[in-house]
Amino acid sequence: QKEVEQNSGPLSVPEGAIASLNCTYSDRVSQSFFWYRQYSGKSPELIMSIYSNGDKEDGRFTAQLNKASQYVSLLIRDSQPSDSATYLCALTQPDFGNEKLTFGTGTRLTIIP
Amino acid sequence: DADVTQTPRNRITKTGKRIMLECSQTKGHDRMYWYRQDPGLGLRLIYYSFDVKDINKGEISDGYSVSRQAQAKFSLSLESAIPNQTALYFCAARATNTGELFFGEGSRLTVL
């Protein structure tokens, strides 16, 4: 089982609708969770981080974390064409006294005007 | 100015050649990382460093080496490049307080 799993997509959502992106992980001791957005040919950029169970909202973005079920999700409200990108889920895990940061393979999101 | 700068941005080389990708950051972050990105495989960690003289292997370190010459500089070397090392390489620096990764713009390497 992969440490971090995402549906590769593509996920197509009409403009103005809610886009829902999901990520599951295998290691129960994972500590911190991040969502990065990557436009084609560009570097990833952080859009949300979440550390405790529940919801965290930032503008049109909401991150949801459920450690018992080992998933983290990202909701994008009022989707815009500029939201079309690949979304990468990442998490940290303890690693022999250090901390390992692992990425999922990403979900490609397309917003349809 | 970008927080993390990578050079070169694009490089085409031949099998067997030695290649160095350089990375520098201006934010004073202790932790630095090298990733490669391939279609369908996401970002895979090659090496990471938590401080000068601290080097740790990632999941795909074979065929690569790194050097952390100073807090601000972290270079990646391919001693003898092979075609399956053709990829997009990203350097990143990580903020200790927030955990956020700041990525460079990427170095696209093609090995013929």
Side-chain angles (χ1 to χ4, degrees), chain A residues 4-84:
Chain A
V4 184
E5 295 212 47
Q6 296 181 254
N7 187 323
S8 63
L11 175 65
S12 296
V13 173
E15 183 176 356
I18 296 175
S20 178
L21 304 161
N22 298 309
C23 172
T24 59
Y25 59 95
S26 59
D27 189 345
R28 288 191 171 273
V29 299
S30 298
Q31 296 169 323
S32 304
F33 303 83
F34 306 89
W35 282 100
Y36 284 81
R37 177 177 62 199
Q38 186 177 21
Y39 293 114
S40 181
K42 302 295 185 181
S43 57
E45 56 180 340
L46 181 71
I47 52 172
M48 290 288 285
S49 58
I50 187 166
Y51 308 105
S52 55
N53 279 327
D55 295 358
K56 179 181 177 182
E57 187 174 318
D58 184 0
R60 295 187 296 112
F61 298 96
T62 299
Q64 299 175 318
L65 175 60
N66 184 321
K67 290 189 176 183
S69 300
Q70 295 177 236
Y71 80 80
V72 56
S73 61
L74 179 70
L75 302 178
I76 307 175
R77 291 182 298 282
D78 188 23
S79 297
Q80 303 295 310
S82 60
D83 295 325
S84 297

Side-chain angles (χ1 to χ4, degrees), chain B residues 7 26 33 35 37-38 47 54 65-66 74 90 96 100:
Chain B
T7 56
T26 60
Y33 302 75
Y35 290 91
Q37 188 171 42
D38 301 274
Y47 272 96
D54 174 70
S65 63
V66 291
F74 191 37
F90 286 106
T96 305
E100 179 177 358

Side-chain angles (χ1 to χ4, degrees), chain A residues 36 38 43 51 92 99 101, chain B residues 37 94 98 100-101 103-104:
Chain A
Y36 284 81
Q38 186 177 21
S43 57
Y51 308 105
T92 60
E99 184 186 72
L101 178 65
Chain B
Q37 188 171 42
R94 187 160 180 228
T98 65
E100 179 177 358
L101 272 178
F103 285 86

Side-chain angles (χ1 to χ4, degrees), chain B residues 6-7 21-23 32-36 44-48 66 74-76 89-92 107:
Chain B
Q6 293 182 230
T7 56
L21 306 179
E22 301 196 32
C23 176
M32 297 188 74
Y33 302 75
W34 275 104
Y35 290 91
R36 67 176 278 176
R44 292 184 291 166
L45 182 62
I46 307 172
Y47 272 96
Y48 62 103
V66 291
F74 191 37
S75 59
L76 176 71
Y89 291 84
F90 286 106
C91 175
S107 297

